[in-house]
C-alpha cells in the first residue's frame, strides 16, 4: 500500500508538471506565434526545448500510468523510471533549457511577466527516495529503483552544475550592463564571474595618505577589473599578468579611519 501511495504521488506530480508545460505551449507559445505579438526568434529563445521536455515526461507518464492501472504488489516501476530518464534526449533538453534560462527570462521581461516553474522534476527525486525506503531488498523492484535513483541524482547534479556555470557567466553580462566607459563587452562564452569586493585605493607619500577613493574590485575567471562605486571602469588586466607583492609598511586600519573611511575590506 505504501509503495502504491508513493507511485500515485509521482503520477500526481507528473500531472501537475505536464499541465504547466502544456499551458506554456497552448496558452502562451502558440497564441504568440499565431498573433505575431513578438518575433519568432524571441519566441524560440523563450520556449527553447519546452516541447521536448514535455514529450519526455509524456512518455514517462503513459508508461507509469499503464503500470499503475494494472498494479500488483510484486510489480516494479524502477525499470520505467530508469528507461525514461537515462535517455540522452532528456539530458540534452534539460541542459539546453538550463543554459538558456537567463536569455529566456531577459526576453520575457521585455515582453510579458511569464514565470514558469520547473521544480516538479526535482520533486521526482524525493519521491523515488521515499519509494526506496518502503521497497525492501527481496523485492524485484529494488535494484531497478536504485539504478533509477542514481540516474536521477546524476541528472540533477549535472543540471545544477550547468545552472551554476550559466549564472556565473550571466553575472559578467550584468556587470557589462551597469559599467560605464566600456570600449567592448567583457561577456563571453568562456568567461565567468568569481567574486567582487569593496576596497579603498590609497596614494601614500612619506608614510601619509594623501588621497583615498572607494573602489570595487571584480575578479573574473581570466581578468581583474577595478571600477568606481558608480561602476565606471578604471582599469582591467588579465589574471596571468597580475603579481601580488608587498612593499613598505602598507596601510593600517587606523590610517584609513583617520581619513573618515569606515570600510572593513581593505586591499
Amino acid at each position: 500500500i505504501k509503495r502504491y501511495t508513493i507511485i500515485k504521488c509521482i503520477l500526481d506530480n507528473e500531472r501537475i508538471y505536464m499541465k504547466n508545460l502544456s499551458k506554456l505551449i497552448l496558452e502562451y507559445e502558440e497564441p504568440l506565434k499565431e498573433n505575431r505579438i513578438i518575433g519568432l526568434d524571441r519566441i524560440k529563445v523563450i520556449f527553447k526545448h519546452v516541447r521536448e521536455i514535455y514529450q519526455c515526461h509524456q512518455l514517462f507518464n503513459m508508461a507509469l500510468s499503464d503500470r499503475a492501472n494494472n498494479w500488483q504488489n510484486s510489480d516494479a516501476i524502477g525499470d520505467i523510471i530508469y528507461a525514461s530518464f537515462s535517455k540522452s534526449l532528456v539530458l540534452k533538453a534539460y541542459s539546453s533549457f538550463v543554459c538558456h534560462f537567463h536569455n529566456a527570462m531577459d526576453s520575457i521581461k521585455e515582453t510579458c511577466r511569464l514565470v514558469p516553474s520547473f521544480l516538479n522534476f526535482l520533486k521526482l527525486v524525493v519521491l523515488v527516495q521515499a519509494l526506496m525506503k518502503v521497497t525492501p531488498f527481496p523485492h524485484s523492484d529494488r535494484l531497478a529503483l536504485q539504478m533509477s535513483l542514481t540516474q536521477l541524482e546524476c541528472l540533477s547534479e549535472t543540471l545544477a552544475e550547468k545552472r551554476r556555470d550559466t549564472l556565473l557567466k550571466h553575472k559578467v553580462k550584468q556587470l557589462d550592463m551597469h559599467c560605464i566607459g566600456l570600449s567592448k563587452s567583457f561577456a563571453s562564452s568562456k568567461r565567468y564571474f568569481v567574486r567582487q569586493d569593496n576596497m579603498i585605493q590609497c596614494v601614500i607619500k612619506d608614510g601619509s595618505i594623501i588621497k583615498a577613493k572607494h573602489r570595487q574590485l571584480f575578479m573574473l575567471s581570466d581578468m581583474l577589473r577595478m571600477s568606481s562605486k558608480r561602476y565606471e571602469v578604471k582599469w582591467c588586466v588579465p589574471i596571468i599578468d597580475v603579481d601580488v607583492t608587498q612593499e613598505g609598511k602598507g596601510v593600517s586600519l587606523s590610517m584609513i579611519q583617520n581619513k573618515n573611511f569606515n570600510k572593513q575590506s581593505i586591499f
Side-chain angles (χ1 to χ4, degrees), residues 54-238:
Y54 178 81
Q55 291 172 359
C56 292
H57 284 271
Q58 187 179 42
L59 294 174
F60 171 60
N61 185 68
M62 289 172 59
L64 189 58
S65 296
D66 182 65
R67 187 72 58 86
N69 291 335
N70 300 283
W71 182 255
Q72 300 292 331
N73 289 334
S74 60
D75 281 347
I77 67 164
D79 57 326
I80 296 176
I81 299 174
Y82 183 80
S84 298
F85 293 98
S86 61
K87 297 176 181 177
S88 59
L89 175 63
V90 178
L91 178 59
K92 180 180 179 181
Y94 270 104
S95 295
S96 181
F97 168 77
V98 170
C99 293
H100 290 86
F101 180 77
H102 285 288
N103 291 334
M105 291 305 298
D106 288 342
S107 295
I108 289 170
K109 289 176 182 178
E110 295 176 6
T111 55
C112 61
R113 292 191 174 275
L114 174 63
V115 185
S117 175
F118 287 87
L119 298 178
N120 297 73
F121 171 74
L122 299 178
K123 189 177 179 181
L124 177 61
V125 177
V126 178
L127 290 172
V128 174
Q129 289 172 340
L131 189 59
M132 281 282 294
K133 293 179 180 179
V134 295
T135 305
F137 278 104
H139 199 287
S140 60
D141 197 23
R142 178 73 187 193
L143 179 59
L145 277 177
Q146 184 63 63
M147 294 175 62
S148 301
L149 182 59
T150 301
Q151 179 65 30
L152 288 172
E153 289 175 341
C154 289
L155 180 59
S156 298
E157 289 175 4
T158 301
L159 294 176
E161 183 67 20
K162 287 182 179 294
R163 182 177 182 275
R164 186 188 71 85
D165 290 343
T166 302
L167 284 171
L168 293 176
K169 291 176 182 178
H170 187 71
K171 179 71 173 179
V172 180
K173 183 178 179 181
Q174 289 180 316
L175 289 175
D176 279 358
M177 294 173 61
H178 290 93
C179 281
I180 302 172
L182 282 180
S183 57
K184 64 178 182 179
S185 173
F186 283 95
S188 73
S189 59
K190 296 182 179 180
R191 181 174 293 145
Y192 58 87
F193 176 85
V194 177
R195 64 177 292 171
Q196 170 185 351
D197 290 283
N198 293 326
M199 62 171 290
I200 296 176
Q201 184 179 19
C202 300
V203 177
I204 302 174
K205 184 177 181 180
D206 298 329
S208 300
I209 299 176
I210 60 174
K211 184 184 294 185
K213 293 184 178 181
H214 290 289
R215 295 286 187 247
Q216 293 189 86
L217 192 65
F218 298 94
M219 180 180 287
L220 308 181
S221 56
D222 61 343
M223 186 173 293
L224 200 63
R225 187 170 88 186
M226 180 181 283
S227 302
S228 67
K229 296 298 288 184
R230 295 184 177 182
Y231 290 93
E232 182 182 358
V233 178
K234 296 301 180 180
W235 53 258
C236 56
V237 293

Side-chain angles (χ1 to χ4, degrees), residues 17-34 43 46-56 58 114 116 118:
Y17 188 37
M18 290 179 61
K19 181 180 178 181
N20 290 337
L21 292 174
S22 178
K23 187 175 183 179
L24 283 176
I25 296 170
L26 298 178
E27 298 185 18
Y28 291 94
E29 183 182 14
E30 292 186 356
L32 285 173
K33 286 182 178 179
E34 292 174 1
I43 292 175
I46 294 174
F47 299 98
K48 192 174 182 66
H49 285 300
V50 171
R51 289 178 181 269
E52 287 86 344
I53 292 174
Y54 178 81
Q55 291 172 359
C56 292
Q58 187 179 42
L114 174 63
F118 287 87

